[in-house]
Amino acid sequence: MGEEHVGRIRFMDQQRVNLDGFAHEDAGLGLIAMNAPEDPEPSIRIEDGRVVEMDGTAEADFDSLDALIARHGIDVTVAEEAMGLDDVELARLFVDWSVPRAEIVRLCAGTTPAKLARVVALLRPAELTLAMTKMRARRTPSNQAHVTNRLDDPLLLAADAATAAAFGFREIETTVPVLADAPSNAVAVTIGASIGSPGILVQCSVEEAMELEMGIRGLVSYAETVSLYGTEDVFVDGDDTPYSKAVLAAAYASRGVKMRVSSGAGAEVLMGGAANRSMLYLESRCVSLARALGVQGVQNGGIDGASVAGAVPRGVRELMAENVMVMARNLEACTGNDALMSESDVRRTSRTLPILLAGSDYVCSGFGSIQRYDNMFGPSQWNAEDIDDWLAMQRDWGVDGGLRTADPDEIGRLRREAAEACRDVYRYLGLADFDDDHVERAVDAVGSKDLGDPDPMVVLTAAQTVRSSGLGSLEVAKALQECGYDDAATRLLQMLEARVHGDHLQTAAIFDEQMQVLSLVTDPNDYAGPGTGYEPSPERQREIDMIRQAKGVEDLRHDQAEYATDTLKPVGEAEQGSDPREVVIGVSPGVGRNVWRTLSGLTVIEVLDELLAGLEEEGCTARIVRVNRTLDLGMVGLTAARLSGSGIGIGLQGKGTALIHRRDLPPLANLELYSMAPIVTRDLYRVLGTNAGRHAKGATPVPARNPYTDEAIEARYHTSVISLVALEREHVSRAVAPEELEVVR
Amino acid sequence: MTRAFSGRDSAELTPDRLALDELDADDVRIHPDTLEAQAQVAEANHNPQLAANLRRAAELALVPEAKVLALYDALRPHRSTAAELEALAASLDSTPAPLTAALVREAAAVYERRGLLA
């Protein structure tokens, strides 16, 4: 054992960031973000329109990934041009807004995995942000939610799905702790989403074959748990090959189901199969493969392996570079920010922020709209705990991260309707019978721990019934209709109709609330520098700006009025005092008129009572005078001191800031000051009173100390201060002399 | 107008018909011609691979659910012999699903070389 570190280091060790694992770069284990020594040199050789060598491997040695990429994923008509470009030259095109997105897409179609990985590795963080702004497929950003719970409770799933829809998520992904529950979860989330908003895409992430079955049945409208890996060995360990995935892609589309694949750094490392390659290169193979398979999109940016990337130098940058590769290959990007990659709020914000700022087809490929403990994918990078933070960040930067503030009453209404609709539909379809108490609990529940202890067999039986009866979304729509939920039934029917049109099979498709498809085809990203590209509509900007916590002067006026009393009665113009034991308490112009309560929560009367009691303890007499000519605390206090027989005065602003003044001091000087109004207590006001009394008697009291806090006290109160000052200012009048106030009990 | 798999015009997918039990699963299932039309849109938007996938999808749109699931399973690693994959490809040819059949044959050749056959 070495010597114990000094306190400063012990203190630093205790911070949450040190719960995270940090690893030395180790290419042998694949613990390297970009540019591993054994990443292949980019190369391509084309003979008779056929790729016969790619990234240093000859056709005869192609593994199944190479084979599929070489045969289907490379545009041989531009390959030689693109591969001939210098890496830096190509990288610069990503951030040169005079070069259209389409030109980069054209060139990248001819790049090999090694080439594209090298090019995006050259982009610095700010350049990645700009590249993402320019290269994402869809103009309008959006976001995806996880909706799950530990119990697979249908009523809670429905209520939470409706909630997620109300907060603006356009895709909802559920999954199960118990595989066999999956069909029930799909039905419950579909019901909740239909209550919440038109056009919500729903998926249930489970083992590939079962997910496909649910897609074909019409129980879900998209799929994304179609995993790709960067090496053949890891692919086979996952019980798939690139070709089986290609069949899966066609199978989903054959039933009008939207689909994206899932990949991302770290998966190969965790399975011990990184083969000395960098994370970015392996992911570049996945992205090339995704394009070759003909899927419309990719969820990457380190999904389950995000923290593996986060453990190595430049790992977070690598995650974002993965997303940019997807965009450069003209695919929908669902940009990670999925599994929680750090215990530190600072690090997880740092990881996400550039993507939020740039905007993405889906900023999160799974924002946990439920609480962390209920997320059956594991805690997300962002969770129900963080929805208000997200909304605030959107507002701070004026960017669209896909979410909006939902009216609290509307959330309550939607949760009730969703839970009741789910209960009614389950009953109608003979799946389960839930009682009123269960509905009530689901409506109010923050998470499944608030549900009590429901019988798990109920869900399992419901799920088995769904599966064995071959029930699909059409039957669910019919049940909603029969149970009186006509709007939700119509919305679900519209989603089924959309499946017949197939427009949402195009790249990066979502539905807006008018059921219009927004995609690469209908809403292409046209960013070409400042003044171009996506800008929120005025309505959308209002949604971003109007968070429910925002307050104005009128809110504060209303709050203050609730504390109004008749206790302070004006009794005429204040006169000059002569009693040497007299201390005058001066209050600001709004006090007793429109300001009644200080920032600490004490009323002005309560504060005055403490000051008066303190003065009485010292045997002093006191008068209260309202100063009308100014709201400046120093001048209020000095005016009081000048009226006071002792020459000592106390100044008190309506917000609670207080000081002791003396008639011969300049206005901005004082004897003692409480500047931290929000945290001044009764006891401290009492001390201010006694000290003023001692000053009046010519003593030198121990100064009262301002209370201490490490909280962001200014962030908390500054908006109230501004409003309080506005209220006080309404009563400032140069023409009105100080007036005496009587406390009427 | 978009025709559903059943031939019904998608404009007929109304709540009234739902209430009258006039709609069934094939009325909300995509038609192969629609997938071909979407393939053309994908091609026009610089994604020939997506177009190719939608064309394979158009073929599979006519294949029953159980057969689609079986096709996927057959292509998972170490599930099928070369002969079984060839038989599968032949049956797809006669479906007709020639594009999917070609993919199966391509897979079979790669699986043979990479030791991924049963």
Side-chain angles (χ1 to χ4, degrees):
Chain A
M1 292 292 284
E3 265 181 72
E4 196 183 27
H5 294 303
V6 295
R8 172 61 73 92
I9 299 299
R10 296 199 305 276
F11 172 72
M12 288 170 68
D13 283 345
Q14 286 162 11
Q15 304 306 313
R16 289 194 67 80
V17 68
N18 290 313
L19 293 168
D20 293 346
F22 296 95
H24 291 298
E25 201 168 71
D26 185 338
L29 297 175
L31 283 171
I32 179 166
M34 306 182 270
N35 300 323
E38 290 191 35
D39 283 352
E41 281 293 314
S43 75
I44 198 155
R45 208 152 55 77
I46 296 166
E47 285 176 6
D48 302 329
R50 184 182 175 96
V51 177
V52 296
E53 183 203 303
M54 185 173 74
D55 294 341
T57 303
E59 189 178 12
D61 299 322
F62 281 172
D63 67 13
S64 51
L65 285 77
D66 296 325
L68 212 152
I69 293 166
R71 175 75 79 89
H72 301 279
I74 306 265
D75 182 346
V76 291
T77 66
V78 298
E80 278 162 356
E81 176 191 357
M83 295 296 286
L85 280 175
D86 178 62
D87 293 344
V88 172
E89 201 180 334
L90 187 47
R92 284 181 180 168
L93 302 183
F94 280 68
V95 294
D96 179 348
W97 60 58
S98 66
V99 178
R101 176 184 187 275
E103 172 62 5
I104 296 147
V105 164
R106 183 186 76 82
L107 288 167
C108 288
T111 58
T112 63
K115 178 73 172 181
L116 188 56
R118 274 211 189 180
V119 168
V120 296
L122 289 167
L123 298 175
R124 301 187 189 96
E127 293 158 355
L128 284 169
T129 309
L130 184 56
M132 188 172 277
T133 305
K134 167 174 160 177
M135 291 305 298
R136 74 165 182 271
R138 191 195 323 116
R139 193 173 196 261
T140 309
S142 76
N143 216 329
Q144 182 202 99
H146 290 164
V147 174
T148 64
N149 65 61
R150 293 173 312 136
L151 306 173
D152 292 330
D153 184 82
L155 303 192
L156 184 59
L157 286 167
D160 285 341
T163 304
F167 278 118
F169 293 103
R170 301 310 294 165
E171 267 189 9
I172 294 177
E173 178 182 26
T174 188
T175 191
V176 285
V178 178
L179 178 63
D181 289 347
S184 169
N185 282 32
V187 170
V189 170
T190 297
I191 293 168
S194 303
I195 296 288
S197 167
I200 304 284
L201 290 156
V202 170
Q203 77 142 328
C204 182
S205 164
V206 286
E207 184 276 327
E208 327 303 74
M210 189 166 185
E211 189 164 331
L212 177 60
E213 185 187 319
M214 288 194 294
I216 289 178
R217 293 269 180 88
L219 288 175
V220 293
S221 42
Y222 81 100
E224 93 182 334
T225 318
V226 180
S227 302
L228 302 187
Y229 303 100
T231 71
E232 189 175 82
D233 285 349
V234 178
F235 237 114
V236 173
D237 283 347
D239 202 19
D240 265 304
T241 75
Y243 287 91
S244 63
K245 297 294 188 185
V247 166
L248 211 45
Y252 277 112
S254 77
R255 296 307 193 271
V257 179
K258 174 180 175 173
M259 189 267 244
R260 74 173 68 91
V261 292
S262 177
S263 53
E268 299 83 4
V269 184
L270 287 169
M271 291 170 88
N276 305 325
R277 307 293 205 248
S278 70
M279 296 180 199
L280 188 64
Y281 168 67
L282 291 177
E283 182 55 23
S284 188
R285 297 189 86 199
C286 294
V287 176
S288 292
L289 186 59
R291 175 70 190 258
L293 296 176
V295 298
Q296 64 81 34
V298 179
Q299 157 186 247
N300 75 353
I303 304 305
D304 293 333
S307 55
V308 177
V312 300
R314 291 173 295 284
V316 165
R317 180 158 151 186
E318 188 276 340
L319 295 176
M320 190 165 177
E322 292 182 7
N323 306 141
V324 170
M325 293 195 298
V326 173
M327 295 168 177
R329 293 210 182 271
N330 205 20
L331 301 174
E332 170 190 77
C334 204
T335 44
N337 296 302
D338 189 314
L340 182 62
M341 54 70 73
S342 174
E343 294 280 1
S344 153
D345 291 340
V346 177
R347 280 191 85 213
R348 67 188 174 96
T349 306
S350 149
R351 181 262 182 277
T352 299
L353 189 62
I355 295 173
L356 172 64
L357 298 182
S360 153
D361 295 326
Y362 298 87
V363 180
C364 298
S365 66
F367 188 121
S369 72
I370 37 54
Q371 282 194 80
R372 284 188 181 197
Y373 75 75
D374 261 336
N375 197 329
M376 292 300 108
F377 295 100
S380 277
Q381 177 85 343
W382 299 91
N383 302 281
E385 289 86 343
D386 310 307
I387 289 176
D388 281 333
D389 290 270
W390 191 271
L391 292 168
M393 289 194 297
Q394 288 188 157
R395 185 178 187 263
D396 290 341
W397 290 97
V399 297
D400 190 338
L403 266 59
R404 64 184 174 200
T405 290
D407 174 54
D409 295 337
E410 179 69 356
I411 292 289
R413 192 191 67 71
L414 287 173
R415 290 186 68 85
R416 176 162 302 280
E417 190 180 350
E420 288 176 354
C422 190
R423 187 256 313 264
D424 295 352
V425 166
Y426 272 53
R427 187 178 283 159
Y428 177 88
L429 294 171
L431 303 177
D433 211 348
F434 297 103
D435 60 22
D436 289 346
D437 178 59
H438 198 135
V439 171
E440 291 305 319
R441 284 172 183 258
V443 170
D444 195 52
V446 187
S448 63
K449 289 178 183 171
D450 305 323
L451 290 181
D453 205 10
D455 178 1
M457 288 311 292
V458 171
V459 179
L460 201 55
T461 307
Q464 280 161 355
T465 310
V466 173
R467 201 171 185 193
S468 63
S469 67
L471 193 118
S473 282
L474 198 58
E475 286 76 19
V476 177
K478 169 80 176 162
L480 279 166
Q481 194 179 48
E482 288 290 320
C483 296
Y485 302 94
D486 287 343
D487 288 351
T490 302
R491 288 169 176 181
L492 187 46
L493 191 59
Q494 285 172 335
M495 289 303 286
L496 293 169
E497 185 190 337
R499 184 179 293 215
V500 173
H501 294 299
D503 294 332
H504 68 300
L505 301 176
Q506 298 297 336
T507 302
I510 54 170
F511 296 94
D512 68 12
E513 289 190 285
Q514 287 72 48
M515 286 303 292
Q516 300 301 307
V517 171
L518 302 180
S519 69
L520 173 81
V521 175
T522 63
D523 183 34
N525 184 13
D526 56 356
Y527 180 81
T532 67
Y534 177 74
E535 192 65 33
S537 67
E539 302 94 277
R540 177 66 186 127
Q541 193 67 55
R542 253 194 310 283
E543 282 185 346
I544 291 168
D545 295 348
M546 297 295 280
I547 61 173
R548 72 180 194 289
Q549 302 90 335
K551 287 203 164 146
V553 174
E554 292 316 306
D555 298 299
L556 192 92
R557 188 192 303 283
H558 181 261
D559 291 350
Q560 286 287 334
E562 292 193 359
Y563 294 88
T565 66
D566 297 328
T567 321
L568 291 174
K569 187 179 151 205
V571 292
E573 197 170 311
E575 289 173 6
Q576 178 65 48
S578 56
D579 180 349
R581 287 186 166 260
E582 180 195 66
V583 172
V584 171
I585 303 172
V587 296
S588 51
V591 168
R593 289 178 168 132
N594 57 2
V595 177
W596 300 93
R597 190 171 183 242
T598 70
L599 293 174
S600 70
L602 295 170
T603 63
V604 175
I605 301 297
E606 286 166 335
V607 171
L608 287 172
D609 282 347
E610 294 301 331
L611 295 173
L612 292 169
L615 288 167
E616 192 180 330
E617 280 172 22
E618 293 300 315
C620 290
T621 61
R623 274 192 299 151
I624 300 169
V625 164
R626 181 158 61 205
V627 176
N628 292 309
R629 289 182 179 142
T630 174
L631 54 76
D632 174 76
L633 180 63
M635 281 309 295
V636 169
L638 185 58
T639 305
R642 286 176 178 164
L643 288 168
S644 151
S646 67
I648 296 295
I650 295 175
L652 174 67
Q653 276 179 324
K655 67 187 168 87
T657 319
L659 53 63
I660 303 174
H661 223 305
R662 200 174 66 202
R663 70 159 70 103
D664 58 331
L665 294 175
L668 290 180
N670 60 66
L671 296 172
E672 294 182 22
L673 169 69
Y674 285 155
S675 55
M676 300 288 275
I679 50 172
V680 182
T681 61
R682 277 177 177 271
D683 289 348
L684 287 166
Y685 283 118
R686 173 75 66 111
V687 169
L688 198 73
T690 55
N691 280 4
R694 288 175 189 172
H695 281 296
K697 294 188 291 186
T700 308
V702 178
R705 282 190 186 276
N706 262 298
Y708 161 81
T709 179
D710 61 0
E711 293 172 334
I713 208 79
E714 294 186 338
R716 206 175 299 177
Y717 292 104
H718 262 168
T719 53
S720 297
V721 169
I722 291 162
S723 295
L724 270 172
V725 166
L727 291 187
E728 297 245 33
R729 192 161 290 287
E730 291 172 9
H731 292 285
V732 172
S733 171
R734 290 240 145 251
V736 183
E739 57 194 332
E740 193 155 334
L741 298 178
E742 194 177 282
V743 182
V744 183
R745 301 290 176 184
Chain B
M1 168 183 146
T2 311
R3 272 190 306 143
F5 191 83
S6 62
R8 188 189 281 278
D9 183 346
S10 65
E12 293 177 21
L13 298 172
T14 61
D16 289 348
R17 286 198 176 77
L18 181 68
L20 294 168
D21 284 324
E22 286 181 8
L23 305 180
D24 73 21
D26 284 349
D27 293 327
V28 294
R29 184 169 158 187
I30 196 163
H31 192 281
D33 292 352
T34 309
L35 286 160
E36 170 56 32
Q38 293 294 349
Q40 289 170 23
V41 174
E43 229 158 26
N45 284 276
H46 316 293
N47 196 332
Q49 291 85 358
L50 178 57
N53 183 50
L54 291 168
R55 291 194 168 106
R56 287 189 288 269
E59 295 180 346
L60 294 182
L62 295 161
V63 176
E65 172 182 338
K67 265 191 92 172
V68 172
L69 294 169
L71 171 64
Y72 167 57
D73 207 48
L75 281 174
R76 292 181 124 174
H78 310 302
R79 294 295 201 288
S80 306
T81 62
E84 284 164 344
L85 288 178
E86 180 46 42
L88 187 58
S91 109
L92 286 164
D93 269 333
S94 61
T95 298
L99 302 170
T100 312
L103 188 74
V104 171
R105 290 200 175 93
E106 186 184 321
V110 172
Y111 287 10
E112 172 97 65
R113 195 161 51 74
R114 301 299 298 173
L116 296 171
L117 293 168

mmCIF file of all heavy atoms in Angstrom, chain A residues 701-720:
data_model
loop_
_atom_site.group_PDB
_atom_site.id
_atom_site.type_symbol
_atom_site.label_atom_id
_atom_site.label_comp_id
_atom_site.label_asym_id
_atom_site.label_seq_id
_atom_site.Cartn_x
_atom_site.Cartn_y
_atom_site.Cartn_z
ATOM 1 N N PRO A 701 -21.414 45.751 17.704
ATOM 2 C CA PRO A 701 -21.799 44.335 17.762
ATOM 3 C C PRO A 701 -20.979 43.486 16.786
ATOM 4 O O PRO A 701 -20.386 44.013 15.845
ATOM 5 C CB PRO A 701 -23.267 44.358 17.348
ATOM 6 C CG PRO A 701 -23.409 45.586 16.513
ATOM 7 C CD PRO A 701 -22.413 46.583 17.025
ATOM 8 N N VAL A 702 -20.938 42.191 17.072
ATOM 9 C CA VAL A 702 -20.327 41.253 16.114
ATOM 10 C C VAL A 702 -21.192 41.257 14.852
ATOM 11 O O VAL A 702 -22.402 41.031 14.937
ATOM 12 C CB VAL A 702 -20.279 39.827 16.707
ATOM 13 C CG1 VAL A 702 -19.697 38.852 15.694
ATOM 14 C CG2 VAL A 702 -19.488 39.819 18.001
ATOM 15 N N PRO A 703 -20.621 41.572 13.701
ATOM 16 C CA PRO A 703 -21.466 41.676 12.493
ATOM 17 C C PRO A 703 -22.157 40.352 12.179
ATOM 18 O O PRO A 703 -21.576 39.282 12.342
ATOM 19 C CB PRO A 703 -20.470 42.031 11.389
ATOM 20 C CG PRO A 703 -19.204 42.436 12.071
ATOM 21 C CD PRO A 703 -19.200 41.775 13.407
ATOM 22 N N ALA A 704 -23.384 40.466 11.753
ATOM 23 C CA ALA A 704 -24.107 39.270 11.305
ATOM 24 C C ALA A 704 -23.450 38.773 10.017
ATOM 25 O O ALA A 704 -23.047 39.562 9.167
ATOM 26 C CB ALA A 704 -25.557 39.619 11.053
ATOM 27 N N ARG A 705 -23.301 37.466 9.893
ATOM 28 C CA ARG A 705 -22.661 36.926 8.696
ATOM 29 C C ARG A 705 -23.706 36.524 7.666
ATOM 30 O O ARG A 705 -24.720 35.923 8.021
ATOM 31 C CB ARG A 705 -21.852 35.677 9.050
ATOM 32 C CG ARG A 705 -20.536 36.021 9.698
ATOM 33 C CD ARG A 705 -19.662 34.783 9.820
ATOM 34 N NE ARG A 705 -18.464 35.103 10.579
ATOM 35 C CZ ARG A 705 -17.379 35.656 10.024
ATOM 36 N NH1 ARG A 705 -17.351 35.896 8.735
ATOM 37 N NH2 ARG A 705 -16.333 35.941 10.770
ATOM 38 N N ASN A 706 -23.404 36.826 6.426
ATOM 39 C CA ASN A 706 -24.288 36.370 5.359
ATOM 40 C C ASN A 706 -24.297 34.854 5.334
ATOM 41 O O ASN A 706 -23.268 34.227 5.497
ATOM 42 C CB ASN A 706 -23.784 36.873 4.013
ATOM 43 C CG ASN A 706 -24.526 38.119 3.585
ATOM 44 O OD1 ASN A 706 -25.730 38.081 3.385
ATOM 45 N ND2 ASN A 706 -23.805 39.220 3.484
ATOM 46 N N PRO A 707 -25.459 34.279 5.157
ATOM 47 C CA PRO A 707 -25.492 32.816 5.063
ATOM 48 C C PRO A 707 -24.746 32.360 3.812
ATOM 49 O O PRO A 707 -24.600 33.102 2.848
ATOM 50 C CB PRO A 707 -26.980 32.492 4.966
ATOM 51 C CG PRO A 707 -27.616 33.744 4.482
ATOM 52 C CD PRO A 707 -26.777 34.888 4.961
ATOM 53 N N TYR A 708 -24.291 31.113 3.845
ATOM 54 C CA TYR A 708 -23.480 30.571 2.765
ATOM 55 C C TYR A 708 -24.264 29.495 2.010
ATOM 56 O O TYR A 708 -25.037 28.747 2.594
ATOM 57 C CB TYR A 708 -22.205 29.955 3.352
ATOM 58 C CG TYR A 708 -21.546 29.008 2.407
ATOM 59 C CD1 TYR A 708 -20.730 29.509 1.390
ATOM 60 C CD2 TYR A 708 -21.797 27.644 2.485
ATOM 61 C CE1 TYR A 708 -20.160 28.644 0.487
ATOM 62 C CE2 TYR A 708 -21.219 26.781 1.581
ATOM 63 C CZ TYR A 708 -20.401 27.279 0.591
ATOM 64 O OH TYR A 708 -19.853 26.430 -0.315
ATOM 65 N N THR A 709 -24.104 29.412 0.709
ATOM 66 C CA THR A 709 -24.702 28.309 -0.051
ATOM 67 C C THR A 709 -23.817 27.948 -1.231
ATOM 68 O O THR A 709 -23.111 28.803 -1.767
ATOM 69 C CB THR A 709 -26.103 28.681 -0.572
ATOM 70 O OG1 THR A 709 -26.611 27.573 -1.317
ATOM 71 C CG2 THR A 709 -26.057 29.904 -1.494
ATOM 72 N N ASP A 710 -23.848 26.674 -1.622
ATOM 73 C CA ASP A 710 -23.125 26.283 -2.845
ATOM 74 C C ASP A 710 -24.123 26.048 -3.988
ATOM 75 O O ASP A 710 -23.796 25.500 -5.013
ATOM 76 C CB ASP A 710 -22.259 25.040 -2.611
ATOM 77 C CG ASP A 710 -23.065 23.827 -2.208
ATOM 78 O OD1 ASP A 710 -24.312 23.935 -2.096
ATOM 79 O OD2 ASP A 710 -22.464 22.758 -1.989
ATOM 80 N N GLU A 711 -25.357 26.445 -3.779
ATOM 81 C CA GLU A 711 -26.352 26.249 -4.839
ATOM 82 C C GLU A 711 -26.330 27.420 -5.821
ATOM 83 O O GLU A 711 -25.817 28.492 -5.497
ATOM 84 C CB GLU A 711 -27.745 26.123 -4.209
ATOM 85 C CG GLU A 711 -27.865 24.853 -3.392
ATOM 86 C CD GLU A 711 -29.157 24.792 -2.610
ATOM 87 O OE1 GLU A 711 -29.721 25.851 -2.291
ATOM 88 O OE2 GLU A 711 -29.591 23.673 -2.321
ATOM 89 N N ALA A 712 -26.913 27.177 -6.999
ATOM 90 C CA ALA A 712 -26.948 28.220 -8.030
ATOM 91 C C ALA A 712 -28.062 29.193 -7.692
ATOM 92 O O ALA A 712 -29.078 29.292 -8.371
ATOM 93 C CB ALA A 712 -27.171 27.593 -9.400
ATOM 94 N N ILE A 713 -27.838 29.909 -6.575
ATOM 95 C CA ILE A 713 -28.909 30.707 -6.001
ATOM 96 C C ILE A 713 -29.366 31.801 -6.962
ATOM 97 O O ILE A 713 -30.535 32.146 -7.047
ATOM 98 C CB ILE A 713 -28.429 31.259 -4.633
ATOM 99 C CG1 ILE A 713 -29.615 31.480 -3.724
ATOM 100 C CG2 ILE A 713 -27.569 32.485 -4.758
ATOM 101 C CD1 ILE A 713 -30.109 30.229 -3.098
ATOM 102 N N GLU A 714 -28.414 32.318 -7.713
ATOM 103 C CA GLU A 714 -28.797 33.382 -8.646
ATOM 104 C C GLU A 714 -29.647 32.835 -9.776
ATOM 105 O O GLU A 714 -30.630 33.444 -10.189
ATOM 106 C CB GLU A 714 -27.556 34.074 -9.186
ATOM 107 C CG GLU A 714 -26.825 34.821 -8.075
ATOM 108 C CD GLU A 714 -25.666 35.654 -8.575
ATOM 109 O OE1 GLU A 714 -25.158 35.350 -9.673
ATOM 110 O OE2 GLU A 714 -25.292 36.593 -7.871
ATOM 111 N N ALA A 715 -29.278 31.629 -10.274
ATOM 112 C CA ALA A 715 -30.070 31.025 -11.345
ATOM 113 C C ALA A 715 -31.497 30.805 -10.874
ATOM 114 O O ALA A 715 -32.456 30.940 -11.625
ATOM 115 C CB ALA A 715 -29.456 29.694 -11.759
ATOM 116 N N ARG A 716 -31.613 30.487 -9.603
ATOM 117 C CA ARG A 716 -32.932 30.166 -9.090
ATOM 118 C C ARG A 716 -33.796 31.409 -8.929
ATOM 119 O O ARG A 716 -35.006 31.365 -9.102
ATOM 120 C CB ARG A 716 -32.752 29.461 -7.735
ATOM 121 C CG ARG A 716 -33.899 28.556 -7.410
ATOM 122 C CD ARG A 716 -33.641 27.784 -6.144
ATOM 123 N NE ARG A 716 -32.468 26.927 -6.196
ATOM 124 C CZ ARG A 716 -32.048 26.213 -5.160
ATOM 125 N NH1 ARG A 716 -32.685 26.263 -4.011
ATOM 126 N NH2 ARG A 716 -30.989 25.444 -5.267
ATOM 127 N N TYR A 717 -33.189 32.525 -8.542
ATOM 128 C CA TYR A 717 -34.006 33.669 -8.123
ATOM 129 C C TYR A 717 -33.934 34.894 -9.014
ATOM 130 O O TYR A 717 -34.719 35.809 -8.827
ATOM 131 C CB TYR A 717 -33.638 34.060 -6.683
ATOM 132 C CG TYR A 717 -34.068 33.008 -5.707
ATOM 133 C CD1 TYR A 717 -33.146 32.137 -5.147
ATOM 134 C CD2 TYR A 717 -35.415 32.858 -5.382
ATOM 135 C CE1 TYR A 717 -33.557 31.132 -4.266
ATOM 136 C CE2 TYR A 717 -35.835 31.870 -4.507
ATOM 137 C CZ TYR A 717 -34.892 31.009 -3.943
ATOM 138 O OH TYR A 717 -35.310 30.045 -3.093
ATOM 139 N N HIS A 718 -32.983 34.921 -9.946
ATOM 140 C CA HIS A 718 -32.833 36.169 -10.680
ATOM 141 C C HIS A 718 -34.086 36.578 -11.451
ATOM 142 O O HIS A 718 -34.423 37.755 -11.513
ATOM 143 C CB HIS A 718 -31.619 36.113 -11.615
ATOM 144 C CG HIS A 718 -30.418 36.782 -11.000
ATOM 145 N ND1 HIS A 718 -29.155 36.666 -11.504
ATOM 146 C CD2 HIS A 718 -30.317 37.565 -9.905
ATOM 147 C CE1 HIS A 718 -28.317 37.365 -10.747
ATOM 148 N NE2 HIS A 718 -28.996 37.905 -9.766
ATOM 149 N N THR A 719 -34.792 35.588 -12.014
ATOM 150 C CA THR A 719 -36.004 35.981 -12.755
ATOM 151 C C THR A 719 -37.040 36.576 -11.806
ATOM 152 O O THR A 719 -37.727 37.543 -12.138
ATOM 153 C CB THR A 719 -36.612 34.789 -13.510
ATOM 154 O OG1 THR A 719 -36.802 33.728 -12.583
ATOM 155 C CG2 THR A 719 -35.716 34.335 -14.637
ATOM 156 N N SER A 720 -37.130 36.019 -10.579
ATOM 157 C CA SER A 720 -38.075 36.580 -9.601
ATOM 158 C C SER A 720 -37.647 37.965 -9.186
ATOM 159 O O SER A 720 -38.483 38.862 -8.990
ATOM 160 C CB SER A 720 -38.152 35.695 -8.356
ATOM 161 O OG SER A 720 -38.641 34.421 -8.701
#
